[in-house]
């Protein structure tokens, strides 16, 4: 994964890293993502280390300025023009530099807080397209990345059934225009995708539209507030030369090694109030108020072994502080709930919870319990503020001296929306529960009936009716064995009379040595057997014994009488 992707990645493949870095440099040089500036003084001043970076945040017009491209960038741009002309015949894609510009606003600003961002652009209230003209869109606030929809102050993602990418983009354009935001930088439109950038109230937001591969006919729309920081005024080493500058990204080349450049960048940023906020390979993250700054520093071997420095920012929808002794930190607006800080720390659990109790208390947050609630695997603590917002700190049990944890934020409005949707969904859930209970009851009844039918079938299969002779005496009748006696000289006849119905009903007969005085008759069927033995002597008298395997004997009607 390329280091400038903004996601976590772990790789030891230096070739892949260099290739990704080179790819970004080429893309940035070709696309430029903006226009040439008529006054590149801001970026040049930043390169000379003479600017007052974070104390003077960009106004919308100032953010729209860009530096004069480098010579390599100009060459690549010329090559790109030829390529774009050919590609346009195939994809009908269009790229254009917008002529409108936001008014220049030189008002000094620090990186925005969440409240400042909300007042400038609250994406939780941004209108959504509805109806056949603009398509359909459904963005439940409680849904997360699994559904492809998120809503937070600084990020909005939704799906729409627009006719094409331009239609989906035009809807967003219209809404920003109504808010007096201006389209700045470069705009790209094709049938399958589109993108553009807007500036207003000192902030910059960019919009991406892409064909949704998971749902035929749908498009995914993403809107990000990139914050109010003038990137061109962020500090860089004295020898850094501008490579590109757009409203959402600035890049420089330096002769320093990557390690030297990282150290220099870190020193310059921390001196201006930026605090470390995690790291992904060659990208270090910093935070000030509710702005996350990504500082990409990596080698570009193809450009005379120079080092690239690239800055970009994102507005955070919640101001979530990093833990003490942080080993890894990732802020995300793309999970459910949509504002989370995932971290790994070397701090002890008591130290960690004490840090968040003290730090959050300064912002008006109070824990709902004196100590974290623990179980066998994890611990958690809930914080609330006067606005009834909720913050949840959850940590796993320490392993190898490290603790993994998550800090989640949900506003009162988001919690109320969740409750509203739950209540709205109650009839469906109750009907679903009723249906499920009925299905379970029906299934239970079916299984019980099936059991009864099976038992009845087995009972009928095992049932063997035995008609005893009328002159039978000393009868012992059991389900598995029958004994009786008959007058002298009638035992064999009685045994054969009992066996005849079995033979007539398909039982296979196997006769053993039989005579008038003794013998055995054996009958078998489907794993069952009936054995009839008799003896008939003057000295011992007569006896007939009937035994069975997997059978239940039942006395015949005549015998019952």
């Amino acid at each position: 994964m390329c280091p400038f992707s903004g996601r976590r990645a772990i790789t030891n493949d230096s070739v892949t890293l260099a290739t990704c870095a080179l790819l970004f440099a080429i893309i940035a040089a070709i696309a430029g993502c903006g226009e040439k500036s008529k006054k590149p003084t801001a970026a040049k001043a930043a390169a000379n280390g003479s600017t007052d970076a974070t104390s003077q945040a960009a106004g919308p017009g100032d953010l729209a300025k860009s530096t004069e491209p480098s010579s390599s960038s100009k060459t690549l741009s010329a090559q790109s023009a030829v390529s774009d002309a050919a590609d346009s015949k195939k994809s009908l894609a269009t790229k254009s530099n917008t002529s409108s510009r936001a008014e220049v606003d030189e008002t000094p600003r620090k990186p925005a807080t969440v409240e400042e961002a909300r007042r400038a652009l609250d994406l939780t209230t941004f209108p959504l397209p509805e109806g056949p003209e603009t398509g359909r869109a459904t963005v439940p606030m409680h849904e997360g990345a699994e559904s492809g929809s998120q809503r937070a102050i600084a990020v909005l993602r939704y799906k729409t059934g627009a006719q094409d990418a331009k239609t989906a983009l035009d809807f967003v354009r219209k809404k920003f225009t109504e808010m007096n935001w201006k389209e700045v930088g470069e705009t790209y439109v094709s049938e399958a995708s589109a993108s553009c950038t807007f500036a207003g109230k000192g902030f910059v937001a960019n919009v991406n539209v892409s064909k949704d591969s998971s749902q035929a006919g749908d498009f995914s729309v993403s809107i990000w507030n990139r914050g109010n920081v003038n990137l061109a005024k962020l500090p860089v080493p004295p020898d850094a030369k501008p490579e590109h500058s757009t409203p959402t990204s600035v890049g420089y080349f330096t002769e320093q090694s990557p390690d030297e450049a990282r150290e220099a960048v870190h020193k310059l940023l921390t001196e201006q109030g930026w605090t470390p906020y995690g790291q992904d390979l060659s990208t270090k993250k910093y935070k000030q108020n509710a702005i996350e700054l990504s500082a990409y520093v990596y080698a570009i071997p193809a450009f005379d072994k120079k080092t690239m420095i690239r800055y970009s920012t994102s507005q955070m929808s919640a101001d979530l502080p990093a833990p003490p002794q942080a080993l890894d930190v990732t802020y995300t607006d793309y999970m459910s709930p949509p504002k989370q800080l995932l971290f790994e720390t070397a701090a002890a659990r008591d130290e960690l919870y004490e840090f968040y109790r003290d730090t959050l208390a300064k912002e008006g947050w109070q824990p709902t319990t004196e100590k974290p609630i623990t179980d066998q695997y994890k611990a958690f603590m809930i914080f609330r503020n006067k606005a009834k917002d909720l913050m949840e700190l959850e940590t796993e049990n320490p392993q190898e001296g490290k603790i993994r944890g998550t800090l989640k934020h949900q506003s009162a409005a988001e919690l109320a929306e969740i409750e509203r949707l739950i209540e709205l969904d109650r009839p469906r859930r109750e009907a679903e529960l009723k249906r499920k209970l009925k299905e379970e009851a029906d299934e239970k009844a079916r299984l019980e009936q099936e059991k009864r039918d099976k038992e009845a079938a087995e009972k009928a299969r095992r049932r063997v009716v035995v008609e005893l002779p009328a002159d039978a005496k000393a009868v012992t009748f059991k389900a598995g064995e029958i004994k009786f006696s008959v007058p002298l000289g009638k035992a064999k006849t009685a045994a054969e009379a009992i066996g005849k119905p079995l033979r007539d009903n398909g039982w296979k007969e196997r006769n053993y040595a039989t005579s008038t005085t003794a013998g055995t008759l054996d009958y078998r069927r489907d794993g069952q057997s009936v054995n009839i033995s008799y003896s008939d002597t003057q000295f011992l008298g007569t006896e007939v014994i009937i035994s069975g395997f997997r059978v239940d004997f039942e006395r015949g009607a005549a015998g019952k009488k």
Side-chain angles (χ1 to χ4, degrees):
M1 180 179 293
C2 296
F4 49 80
S5 65
R7 301 175 181 230
R8 295 186 180 186
I10 299 175
T11 176
N12 295 319
D13 191 341
S14 59
V15 176
T16 300
L17 184 58
T19 302
C20 289
L22 175 58
L23 176 60
F24 170 77
I26 293 174
I27 291 173
I30 292 175
C33 300
E35 299 180 328
K36 297 181 181 179
S37 172
K38 297 179 180 179
K39 297 180 180 180
T41 55
K44 291 182 178 179
N48 294 327
S50 61
T51 57
D52 178 9
T54 56
S55 65
Q56 297 194 23
D62 202 26
L63 284 164
K65 297 178 181 179
S66 60
T67 64
E68 186 72 26
S70 63
S71 59
S72 61
S73 176
K74 291 179 180 178
T75 301
L76 290 169
S77 295
Q79 296 172 350
S80 175
V82 176
S83 176
D84 287 347
D87 291 342
S88 64
K89 296 179 180 180
K90 298 179 180 179
S91 64
L92 300 180
T94 61
K95 292 185 178 181
S96 63
N97 287 329
T98 57
S99 58
S100 60
R101 287 290 177 269
E103 295 180 3
V104 175
D105 183 355
E106 295 294 346
T107 304
R109 290 189 180 91
K110 291 183 178 180
T113 63
V114 173
E115 180 57 25
E116 289 169 342
R118 185 192 64 77
R119 289 198 298 265
L121 177 63
D122 187 354
L123 291 176
T124 65
T125 61
F126 194 87
L128 301 177
E130 295 290 349
E133 296 83 7
T134 54
R136 60 189 181 280
T138 304
V139 191
M141 290 177 63
H142 71 290
E143 289 192 6
E146 296 80 7
S147 67
S149 302
Q150 293 84 34
R151 244 197 203 280
I153 289 175
V155 62
L156 171 62
R157 296 179 67 213
Y158 64 88
K159 295 180 181 180
T160 177
Q163 179 180 355
D164 50 32
K166 182 179 183 301
T167 303
L169 180 64
D170 284 346
F171 174 84
V172 179
R173 275 173 161 168
K174 182 176 182 293
K175 298 306 175 183
F176 271 105
T177 300
E178 291 171 353
M179 296 187 297
N180 295 320
W181 285 56
K182 304 297 182 181
E183 196 168 335
V184 296
E186 187 177 80
T187 297
Y188 173 87
V189 178
S190 72
E191 291 184 2
S193 62
S195 63
C196 66
T197 304
F198 295 91
K201 302 179 182 180
F203 289 77
V204 166
N206 65 320
V207 183
N208 283 330
V209 179
S210 61
K211 192 75 172 178
D212 183 16
S213 59
S214 64
Q215 181 68 39
D218 278 1
F219 286 86
S220 294
V221 180
S222 301
I223 307 174
W224 295 277
N225 186 343
R226 295 304 187 182
N228 67 338
V229 174
N230 189 334
L231 300 175
K233 292 184 179 181
L234 290 172
V236 291
D239 72 326
K241 305 299 181 185
E243 189 277 332
H244 76 274
S245 179
T246 75
T248 58
S249 171
V250 294
Y252 303 87
F253 279 138
T254 175
E255 300 295 335
Q256 296 184 12
S257 70
D259 289 341
E260 292 172 335
R262 288 188 192 101
E263 184 177 349
V265 166
H266 178 77
K267 183 175 184 297
L268 290 168
L269 291 176
T270 53
E271 287 176 348
Q272 291 198 354
W274 294 92
T275 59
Y277 204 61
Q279 180 172 347
D280 291 335
L281 293 178
S282 57
T283 304
K284 291 197 70 171
K285 302 292 184 66
Y286 297 84
K287 175 183 173 295
Q288 190 169 168
N289 288 331
I291 296 290
E292 184 181 58
L293 166 65
S294 296
Y296 306 81
V297 181
Y298 47 91
I300 308 293
F303 289 87
D304 300 326
K305 298 183 179 179
K306 292 183 179 181
T307 297
M308 167 72 81
I309 299 173
R310 177 175 173 262
Y311 291 144
S312 64
T313 56
S314 292
Q315 180 70 50
M316 300 166 64
S317 298
D319 191 345
L320 304 182
Q325 302 184 50
L327 303 174
D328 187 20
V329 176
T330 299
Y331 174 82
T332 175
D333 277 330
Y334 293 94
M335 298 179 70
S336 181
K339 294 158 290 183
Q340 295 192 31
L341 183 72
L342 291 77
F343 62 82
E344 189 176 87
T345 175
R349 187 162 69 182
D350 290 344
E351 178 186 358
L352 177 66
Y353 279 89
E354 182 179 358
F355 166 81
Y356 276 110
R357 275 195 299 264
D358 295 344
T359 302
L360 295 178
K362 297 175 183 177
E363 301 297 329
W365 294 88
Q366 295 298 325
T368 57
T369 56
E370 182 178 351
K371 295 182 179 181
I373 299 172
T374 61
D375 61 20
Q376 184 178 354
Y377 305 103
K378 62 183 179 181
F380 70 92
M381 178 176 279
I382 303 295
F383 298 84
R384 303 298 292 262
N385 61 11
K386 290 183 178 180
K388 304 300 182 183
D389 301 331
L390 181 146
M391 194 100 73
E392 180 181 355
L393 174 62
E394 181 179 296
T395 59
E396 299 176 1
N397 288 342
Q399 292 185 359
E400 300 178 352
K402 296 181 293 186
I403 294 177
R404 291 183 181 272
T406 306
L407 183 64
K408 305 175 184 178
H409 178 280
Q410 290 177 284
S411 69
E414 290 168 335
L415 294 171
E417 177 67 2
I418 292 173
E419 292 177 359
R420 185 188 73 83
L421 292 174
I422 290 175
E423 188 63 28
L424 189 65
D425 192 46
R426 185 187 299 278
R428 184 199 63 80
R429 289 184 290 108
E430 290 179 346
E432 178 66 17
L433 178 60
K434 185 177 180 180
R435 182 192 63 79
K436 185 175 180 181
L437 291 175
K438 183 178 183 304
E439 286 182 353
E440 290 176 351
D442 290 346
E443 179 65 10
K444 182 179 180 181
R446 185 189 69 79
L447 292 175
E448 289 177 349
Q449 184 60 48
E450 187 177 271
K451 181 180 178 181
R452 288 193 295 269
D453 291 345
K454 186 175 180 180
E455 290 174 348
E458 178 65 14
K459 183 177 181 180
R461 189 179 73 87
R462 294 173 63 95
R463 179 171 176 264
V464 175
V465 178
V466 177
E467 294 284 357
L468 297 181
D471 53 358
K473 298 179 180 179
V475 177
T476 302
F477 201 111
K478 297 179 181 180
E481 184 181 71
I482 303 171
K483 293 182 180 180
F484 64 91
S485 63
V486 290
L488 191 63
K490 293 186 176 182
K492 180 179 180 183
T493 301
E496 290 175 344
I498 293 171
K500 184 179 184 302
L502 296 174
R503 186 174 61 251
D504 293 343
N505 287 323
W507 291 72
K508 302 298 182 183
E509 184 181 52
R510 296 173 59 186
N511 292 333
Y512 294 93
T514 59
S515 65
T516 57
T517 58
T520 299
L521 304 177
D522 189 75
Y523 300 89
R524 296 177 182 269
R525 183 186 69 180
D526 299 332
Q528 297 172 284
S529 64
V530 174
N531 183 277
I532 305 173
S533 60
Y534 63 92
S535 61
D536 191 344
T537 64
Q538 188 173 3
F539 299 102
L540 298 177
T542 62
E543 184 178 51
V544 179
I545 301 176
I546 308 171
S547 60
F549 176 70
R550 293 181 178 173
V551 298
D552 293 323
F553 294 122
E554 183 176 317
R555 191 190 296 263
K560 291 179 181 179
K561 294 179 181 179

